[in-house]
Amino acid sequence: MDSRKYYSPRRVYKVFNFLLTIYLVIKKKKSFLGFKVLKPKELKETIIFLGASFIKLAQVLATRSDFFDKEYLDELKELHDSLPPMIKSEFDEVYTRSFSENSFARFDDKPIASASIGQVHVAFTHEGQKVAVKLRRSSIYSQVMADIKIIKSFNTLFKPLFSHHTKNSIEAVIVEFSKMIKEEVSLTKELSNLVKFSSIYKDAGIKFPVPLPEFCSDDALVMSFEEGFRFDDKESIFEHEIDFRAIIAKLVDFYTTQMLINGYFHADPHPGNLLVSKDGELILLDFGMVKSVPNYARVAIIELIKAANEQDYERYIAANKKLGTIAYEAPTELLAEFSAKMFEIFSNENLSSESMQELAFEVLETTRDLPFKLPSDAIYILRVSAIIEGLGTTYIENFNGVKDILPILQKNIPRALGAKDSILETLIDEIKDIPFIVKDFKSAIKKISSNELQVELIGDQLEWIKRDAKSEVKSYAISFALMIGAIFMMIYDKSLKEMAVVLFLAGVFKVIYR
């Protein structure tokens, strides 16, 4: 496909409308220079027209309830990876590039699923094994690269319209999105993710497809065909009398292990990627989006959970600051009060999910101007949390993170901190660590006594200090410029002394009352 098509005036205009609408919705404005904001349904239709990159970007943005009103979130959450399949000429091109004529005993040309990056076909090997064949869309890499360039160009154009924190959050989304989408269009990378993930979680009680590497390439991924119902197929789940509460608890428990213990997690657990077998076994598919949780983020999440469980909301806000989702200088007391209100709403067993949402959005409205942030490390953690909460509401009407997920997370904190299954094993591990603790203690005392102790600041603190120092320097520079200007004015023309005095006093006033 001609790459110039991706830069066609119609497509660029659609991208402009998409990005402008996002910026205006965040700023709570209806128009900009005569351009009107797209309505929620129009925004969704525009995203579907633009395809793969924008569907993925919208899925990330859909986690930000502090950016978007409920009407927009409802439409964004309806987006799914359901697109028309490749036309025959494109399919033939990809298939011929990936396989020989005799690669399979049988290959079904009609895909069973068609997503933004690729489509899945059923095939049978010459040994009779049923396999799933994922084919990457023709020219998808060129399209994605073009989309990234367009998005970055428009982001540069709109940047001056936003506050420091909102600007940085949007920048983080775009940077992380660009990195993720480039990885996701490589099926070789997905194969690597699947192999590593299956090895790490082989004893987790969750089933994964088994790849057939001899058939795989950057354009094709071949793996065992896994039979099961989609996670949101309530009719089949109920028909086979599968305990959905046990399935949800197992899913939450598994993600707790991924994020808090191993720090390596599947970042795209939407209903199409989660199957349930007739025996109630969970099956996880699609490993194009697998992420690692940095150690500092893992520690911050553990502190978040502990503080939330103990209803210590000031410590909860402090943990959010450590994670980077709230700016370092944000008012802790005000945000602690906001958190208490939100937890009270979601802990109420008697409220319907609709009532919870209405109350939550009312409280969120009061915090729209507060410095919330979205660092790149937190994007997929928040996204996965939102998706799992959404999966829970499929079966439990008022399911939410506070009431239903927090107790499971709290139960797993000892394991996340390294505790073993038995007290004896934990004690043995602690005794083994004593020599290292003594060594670290001696090293710390030595540094204190020799004035070599160093304090490490987190990135947010450094950013705040830098911004504050810059503001201070700028303020003083303007003040001294006014005073020096006044002196030169007096030297140049004494008849301007009244104006010079006014300028000098303005400079002094700015120093005193800055």
Side-chain angles (χ1 to χ4, degrees), residues 34 44 85 99 214 259 468:
K44 183 180 75 175
F99 307 113
E214 65 271 22
M259 290 184 172
D468 198 48

Side-chain angles (χ1 to χ4, degrees), residues 448-464:
I448 292 169
S449 62
S450 58
N451 295 321
E452 293 178 0
L453 189 66
Q454 295 178 331
V455 177
E456 187 175 325
L457 298 176
I458 61 171
D460 254 16
Q461 290 172 318
L462 289 172
E463 184 188 332
W464 177 72

Side-chain angles (χ1 to χ4, degrees), residues 28 42 88 98 106 123 206 214 225 229 278 306 361 393 399 402 404 421 476 478:
K28 302 290 282 182
E42 291 173 331
K88 189 177 187 309
S98 305
R106 194 182 106 199
I206 309 291
E214 65 271 22
F225 190 93
F229 316 114
K278 292 179 181 179
K306 195 169 186 303
F361 271 98
T393 59
F399 184 91
V402 174
D404 301 286
D421 292 334
Y476 279 117
I478 293 170

Side-chain angles (χ1 to χ4, degrees), residues 161-175:
L161 302 175
F162 292 94
S163 69
H164 173 79
H165 296 299
T166 302
K167 190 187 326 183
N168 283 1
S169 289
I170 293 168
E171 187 76 28
V173 170
I174 291 172
V175 169

Side-chain angles (χ1 to χ4, degrees), residues 479-491 500 503-504:
S479 301
F480 288 121
L482 288 171
M483 289 188 278
I484 292 167
I487 292 168
F488 274 106
M489 192 179 287
M490 283 283 288
I491 294 170
L503 282 177
F504 190 85

Side-chain angles (χ1 to χ4, degrees), residues 272-486:
N273 289 341
L274 272 173
L275 304 182
V276 181
S277 73
K278 292 179 181 179
D279 301 323
E281 186 177 28
L282 264 178
I283 304 164
L284 193 56
L285 308 175
D286 196 339
F287 293 81
M289 206 186 294
V290 177
K291 299 291 173 185
S292 295
V293 184
N295 192 53
Y296 86 89
R298 192 175 68 85
V299 171
I301 295 168
I302 292 169
E303 289 177 5
L304 271 174
I305 296 162
K306 195 169 186 303
N309 191 67
E310 294 170 1
Q311 298 182 10
D312 185 344
Y313 298 120
E314 288 197 5
R315 191 147 56 91
Y316 177 79
I317 297 302
N320 266 289
K321 288 183 178 183
K322 189 178 286 187
L323 185 60
T325 51
I326 296 174
Y328 173 71
E329 71 273 21
T332 299
E333 286 185 19
L334 181 62
L335 286 169
E337 185 182 334
F338 154 74
S339 300
K341 287 178 183 176
M342 293 295 279
F343 274 86
E344 185 180 344
I345 291 167
F346 287 106
S347 298
N348 194 329
E349 293 272 4
N350 300 317
L351 286 176
S352 66
S353 57
E354 189 177 336
S355 301
M356 283 180 178
Q357 272 198 331
E358 286 176 9
L359 288 169
F361 271 98
E362 283 177 22
V363 178
L364 277 170
E365 198 62 38
T366 66
T367 64
R368 194 171 285 275
D369 296 326
L370 288 173
F372 291 108
K373 299 173 65 187
L374 186 57
S376 59
D377 288 332
I379 289 172
Y380 291 100
I381 296 169
L382 293 173
R383 182 174 185 269
V384 165
S385 302
I387 291 173
I388 289 177
E389 192 169 60
L391 291 171
T393 59
T394 305
Y395 295 96
I396 302 169
E397 200 268 340
N398 63 348
F399 184 91
N400 66 72
V402 174
K403 178 172 62 67
D404 301 286
I405 298 178
L406 186 59
I408 300 172
L409 296 176
Q410 177 66 18
K411 182 190 73 177
N412 279 282
I413 281 183
R415 277 203 305 141
L417 293 173
K420 302 296 182 182
D421 292 334
S422 73
I423 295 174
L424 181 60
E425 285 179 301
T426 304
L427 283 172
I428 290 169
D429 271 4
E430 292 298 324
I431 291 167
K432 284 179 182 177
D433 283 341
I434 287 174
F436 299 102
I437 295 167
V438 170
K439 185 181 177 183
D440 290 342
F441 181 72
K442 284 171 69 178
S443 175
I445 295 296
K446 187 178 177 181
K447 285 181 179 179
I448 292 169
S449 62
S450 58
N451 295 321
E452 293 178 0
L453 189 66
Q454 295 178 331
V455 177
E456 187 175 325
L457 298 176
I458 61 171
D460 254 16
Q461 290 172 318
L462 289 172
E463 184 188 332
W464 177 72
I465 291 167
K466 180 182 174 184
R467 200 166 65 250
D468 198 48
K470 188 177 178 182
S471 175
E472 289 286 308
V473 170
K474 186 179 178 182
S475 177
Y476 279 117
I478 293 170
S479 301
F480 288 121
L482 288 171
M483 289 188 278
I484 292 167

Side-chain angles (χ1 to χ4, degrees), residues 152-265:
K152 285 182 176 177
S153 299
F154 280 126
N155 182 55
T156 303
L157 178 68
F158 294 133
K159 247 185 187 180
L161 302 175
F162 292 94
S163 69
H164 173 79
H165 296 299
T166 302
K167 190 187 326 183
N168 283 1
S169 289
I170 293 168
E171 187 76 28
V173 170
I174 291 172
V175 169
E176 183 60 28
F177 156 75
S178 302
K179 180 183 171 186
M180 172 275 295
I181 196 78
K182 280 190 275 190
E183 288 183 357
E184 202 173 352
V185 296
S186 168
L187 296 188
T188 301
K189 177 65 177 174
E190 183 173 345
L191 171 63
S192 172
N193 290 342
L194 171 55
V195 171
K196 182 179 176 180
F197 199 92
S198 302
S199 173
I200 291 173
Y201 298 107
K202 60 185 177 183
D203 299 321
I206 309 291
K207 194 173 183 184
F208 315 113
V210 178
L212 282 70
E214 65 271 22
F215 291 102
C216 298
S217 65
D218 219 29
D219 283 310
L221 178 61
V222 181
M223 57 207 140
S224 59
F225 190 93
E226 302 301 331
E227 305 277 358
F229 316 114
R230 279 175 57 106
F231 194 93
D232 58 356
D233 184 356
K234 293 172 74 171
E235 188 177 330
S236 297
I237 298 286
F238 290 141
E239 183 185 332
H240 288 81
E241 298 181 347
I242 296 167
D243 184 352
F244 62 86
R245 287 184 180 272
I247 291 292
I248 292 168
K250 188 172 187 178
L251 179 65
V252 173
D253 194 69
F254 180 47
Y255 264 90
T256 305
T257 301
Q258 291 178 61
M259 290 184 172
L260 299 188
I261 297 168
N262 292 325
Y264 187 68
F265 70 102

